[in-house]
């Protein structure tokens, strides 16, 4: 197994121990950021799920809070308190979540006892939304009487709406729209969107509708990737017309959730799955990390944009600039001052004159272990080559790749966050790829850059060591 304590991220949020999956109930309440998450306190594996809880004043330092929601042996959530969202019910902090009970997935509601959001009282009316018209044709599987879970709630003109993740038998994943006057009794409207099972699977988890000035984004998690559709949401018909589609991330980022903070930013967190085997997770004693918060926006032409919150800059310590550095075809340059396993790397190149180049991270002096972020500008792709990331065979060493677009002026910019076993890559603030790597050697801390087939000249190349 591969279970080195040095794989534990330094500045990404991880559970105090044991298992983490989806972010839940995200909110800035009373000025504080609250991160709830799918948590199994019994071990580093997915089993009886609770809601873990952490708070932060700045999105950078997090404090663990006691478990917020527990499964209830007698209740509609006896086998798990699954994913859900925060609802501001006229000042009463409220969450909607999915209860697991037998072969049922049951919508449930709970209200916080006070503004600390530490303790919650479940609604006596639980479970909610028990009947859905038969002709909807909800997907049934061997394990579940109906695939029907995860919640995204919003309000329009005093009326509540929510979408719940589901699937329509023979068709594909679906985000089913419901309406309510009181958050307790819900009436089915229609699918806000359905997919083709060949493209985005038979079941959609964690659907979320995000609304911006220039349009809306609906994203869904299809067991492997997070697909998004950008388009128009019509408030009079409650219909969503998708115009473009893509992937929110090309790596291990899954089941993301977002919220609008007091500064009006739409902040998104996603679960970064492990990419090492179960025995390694068991030996490590923890599993799963939260992505960095991403500020999401939509341009006028329907392109999704990511920015990293300014708060993250407070993590920066030593800074090294290599602006103007040039590498010849076939050459590589070791950036000897910047060794480390917690780094931020930001670079720009002029795409017009650039072929293939790469940034190598977590590299041993002899090159036995190394992770290569390879950028093929002509092919417009970024690949994270993990074939030598780890000597261990308990890890997934498959390459991960994403297509990239260039800025209008032909600049390619890359922004990398390395955090021990986590690597998040952003290209031109528009594409993202979060991945996991598990180097085994203590000296896997080197950084180098190389050029393959053309001179590569870095207009800017900044590297910061990042704090914990
Ligand atoms: C997504 C998911 C959700 C579910 C939760 C259970 O990762 O499967 O659909 O609510 O995790 O932990």
């Amino acid at each position: 197994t591969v279970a080195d304590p040095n794989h534990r991220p330094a500045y990404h949020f991880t559970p105090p121990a044991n298992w983490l999956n989806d972010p839940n109930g995200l909110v800035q309440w009373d000025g504080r950021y609250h991160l709830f998450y799918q948590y199994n306190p019994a071990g580093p594996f997915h089993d009886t799920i609770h809601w873990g809880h952490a708070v932060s004043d700045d999105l950078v330092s997090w404090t663990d809070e006691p478990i917020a929601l527990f499964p209830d042996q007698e209740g509609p959530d006896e086998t798990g308190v699954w994913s859900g969202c925060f609802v501001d019910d006229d000042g009463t902090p409220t969450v909607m979540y999915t209860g697991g009970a037998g072969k049922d997935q049951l919508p449930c509601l709970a209200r916080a006892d006070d503004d600390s959001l530490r303790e919650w009282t479940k609604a006596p009316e639980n479970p909610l939304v028990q009947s859905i018209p038969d002709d909807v044709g909800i997907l049934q599987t061997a394990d579940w009487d109906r695939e029907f879970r995860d919640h995204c709630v919003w309000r329009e003109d005093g009326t509540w709406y929510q979408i719940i993740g589901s699937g329509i038998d023979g068709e594909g994943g679906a985000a089913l729209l419901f309406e309510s006057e009181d958050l307790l009794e819900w009436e089915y409207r229609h699918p806000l969107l359905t997919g083709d099972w060949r493209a985005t699977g038979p079941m959609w988890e964690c659907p979320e509708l995000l609304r911006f000035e220039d349009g809306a984004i609906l994203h869904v998690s299809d067991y492997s990737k997070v697909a998004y559709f950008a388009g128009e949401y019509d408030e009079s018909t409650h219909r969503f017309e998708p115009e473009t589609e893509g992937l929110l991330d090309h790596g291990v980022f899954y089941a993301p959730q977002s919220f609008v903070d007091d500064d009006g930013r739409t902040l998104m967190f996603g679960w970064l799955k492990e990419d090492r085997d179960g025995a390694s997770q068991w030996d490590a004693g923890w599993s799963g990390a939260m992505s960095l918060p991403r500020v999401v926006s939509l341009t006028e032409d329907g392109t999704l944009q990511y920015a990293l919150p300014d708060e993250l800059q407070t993590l920066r310590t030593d800074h090294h600039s290599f602006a103007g550095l040039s590498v010849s075809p076939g050459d590589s340059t070791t950036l000897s001052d910047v060794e480390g396993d917690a780094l931020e790397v930001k670079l720009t190149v002029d795409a017009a004159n650039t072929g293939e180049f790469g940034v190598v991270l977590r590299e041993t002096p002899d090159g036995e272990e190394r992770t290569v972020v390879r950028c093929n500008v002509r092919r417009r792709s970024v690949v994270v080559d993990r074939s030598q990331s780890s000597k261990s065979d308990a890890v997934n060493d498959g390459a991960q790749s994403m297509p990239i677009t260039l800025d209008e002026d032909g600049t390619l910019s890359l922004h990398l966050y390395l955090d021990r076993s986590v690597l998040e890559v952003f290209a031109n603030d528009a594409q993202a790829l979060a991945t996991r790597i598990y180097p085994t050697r203590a000296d896997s801390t080197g950084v180098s850059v190389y050029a393959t087939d053309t001179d590569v000249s870095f207009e800017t190349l900044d590297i910061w060591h990042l704090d914990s």
Side-chain angles (χ1 to χ4, degrees):
T1 66
V2 60
D4 186 328
N6 290 326
H7 293 149
R8 178 87 109 146
Y11 59 87
H12 281 75
F13 180 80
T14 51
N18 302 314
W19 170 271
L20 163 152
N21 61 300
D22 316 350
N24 291 148
L26 300 177
V27 68
Q28 185 175 17
W29 190 257
D30 230 2
R32 300 203 99 181
Y33 292 102
H34 291 261
L35 169 63
F36 299 91
Y37 55 92
Q38 294 283 283
Y39 181 51
N40 179 15
F45 49 87
H46 190 272
D47 195 36
T48 304
I49 294 293
H50 300 51
W51 274 31
H53 183 199
V55 295
S56 173
D57 291 321
D58 59 4
L59 296 169
V60 177
S61 298
W62 293 92
T63 305
D64 291 315
E65 293 280 315
I67 291 174
L69 287 174
F70 295 78
D72 197 335
Q73 295 231 314
E74 318 281 86
D77 52 14
E78 59 172 348
T79 56
V81 181
W82 293 344
S83 284
C85 66
F86 187 90
V87 185
D88 178 354
D89 181 12
D90 284 327
T92 304
T94 302
V95 291
M96 285 238 29
Y97 65 91
T98 301
K103 293 180 95 179
D104 282 330
Q105 301 179 352
L106 300 166
C108 293
L109 181 143
R111 299 183 186 89
D113 295 354
D114 60 49
D115 289 328
S116 71
L117 311 191
R118 267 192 197 119
E119 292 185 32
W120 297 77
T121 302
K122 294 175 186 175
E125 292 86 350
N126 289 342
L128 317 173
V129 201
Q130 292 190 76
S131 71
I132 304 167
D134 282 345
D135 60 7
V136 178
I138 283 204
L139 182 67
Q140 184 175 0
T141 56
D143 291 340
W144 306 110
D145 284 343
R146 53 183 196 188
E147 296 277 10
F148 186 58
R149 61 181 179 274
D150 312 335
H151 308 263
C152 168
V153 177
W154 69 93
R155 198 174 211 179
E156 284 170 40
D157 288 336
T159 301
W160 295 103
Y161 292 87
Q162 74 162 312
I163 45 175
I164 299 180
S166 188
I168 293 181
D169 206 10
E171 254 183 74
L176 303 179
L177 181 72
F178 293 81
E179 184 181 310
S180 171
E181 294 308 321
D182 60 3
L183 289 171
L184 296 171
E185 279 187 49
W186 292 88
E187 200 184 322
Y188 175 68
R189 294 278 310 235
H190 49 252
L192 191 60
L193 193 68
T194 49
D196 180 339
W197 63 269
R198 291 175 210 85
T200 50
M203 159 70 196
W204 284 351
E205 304 186 292
C206 303
E208 188 174 59
L209 180 70
L210 303 176
R211 298 175 64 192
F212 301 96
E213 211 145 279
D214 290 310
I217 287 175
L218 178 68
H219 69 76
V220 299
S221 291
D222 72 0
Y223 288 116
S224 70
K225 292 282 189 259
V226 191
Y228 77 84
F229 305 86
E232 294 298 329
Y233 173 75
D234 183 336
E235 285 211 2
S236 56
T237 60
H238 304 286
R239 300 273 173 186
F240 175 72
E241 277 306 323
E243 281 150 23
T244 58
E245 58 184 88
L247 294 179
L248 277 190
D249 190 286
H250 298 263
V252 300
F253 179 90
Y254 194 72
Q257 195 180 96
S258 319
F259 67 109
V260 179
D261 80 349
D262 294 349
D263 294 331
R265 300 178 293 184
T266 300
L267 291 163
M268 176 185 281
F269 286 87
W271 166 34
L272 304 183
K273 297 183 182 188
E274 296 295 323
D275 235 351
R276 52 181 168 175
D277 66 10
S280 297
Q281 294 169 53
W282 179 264
D283 285 350
W286 65 280
S287 174
M290 218 41 98
S291 72
L292 293 175
R294 301 174 177 182
V295 183
V296 183
S297 59
L298 198 60
T299 62
E300 262 172 57
D301 64 358
T303 311
L304 184 124
Q305 293 280 299
Y306 284 127
L308 279 303
D310 290 343
E311 287 93 327
L312 294 179
Q313 293 175 17
T314 61
L315 289 166
R316 292 174 177 171
T317 59
D318 306 346
H319 172 227
H320 299 263
S321 167
F322 301 90
L325 175 74
S326 231
V327 188
S328 316
D331 273 359
S332 95
T333 301
T334 299
L335 307 176
S336 43
D337 298 340
V338 295
E339 303 209 323
D341 59 8
L343 301 171
E344 178 184 352
V345 179
K346 246 184 139 164
L347 67 86
T348 49
V349 296
D350 175 3
N353 307 311
T354 310
E356 185 185 288
F357 71 96
V359 178
V360 185
L361 298 165
R362 302 233 50 179
E363 185 173 33
T364 53
D366 61 5
E368 186 184 31
E369 284 189 335
R370 58 207 298 264
T371 296
V372 183
V373 181
R374 186 187 308 136
C375 201
N376 191 314
V377 181
R378 294 204 190 95
R379 269 194 241 138
R380 306 269 193 274
S381 83
V382 168
V383 176
V384 180
D385 181 341
R386 298 185 294 172
S387 59
Q388 281 181 271
S389 292
S390 177
K391 287 198 300 170
S392 167
D393 54 15
V395 306
N396 181 354
D397 66 359
Q400 294 189 293
S401 62
M402 64 174 166
I404 52 171
T405 50
L406 303 177
D407 279 356
E408 268 163 30
D409 67 355
T411 302
L412 168 66
S413 70
L414 275 189
H415 196 173
L416 316 182
Y417 283 90
L418 171 67
D419 190 6
R420 301 184 164 173
S421 63
V422 170
L423 176 60
E424 294 197 62
V425 182
F426 298 90
N428 282 349
D429 304 324
Q431 291 87 27
L433 193 169
T435 189
R436 303 298 302 274
I437 49 173
Y438 305 94
T440 63
R441 283 177 49 172
D443 57 352
S444 292
T445 51
V447 181
S448 64
V449 290
Y450 70 89
T452 307
D453 49 359
T454 59
D455 278 319
V456 172
S457 155
F458 294 96
E459 287 173 354
T460 62
L461 173 54
D462 292 286
I463 304 186
W464 292 267
H465 283 107
L466 298 186
D467 226 331
S468 154

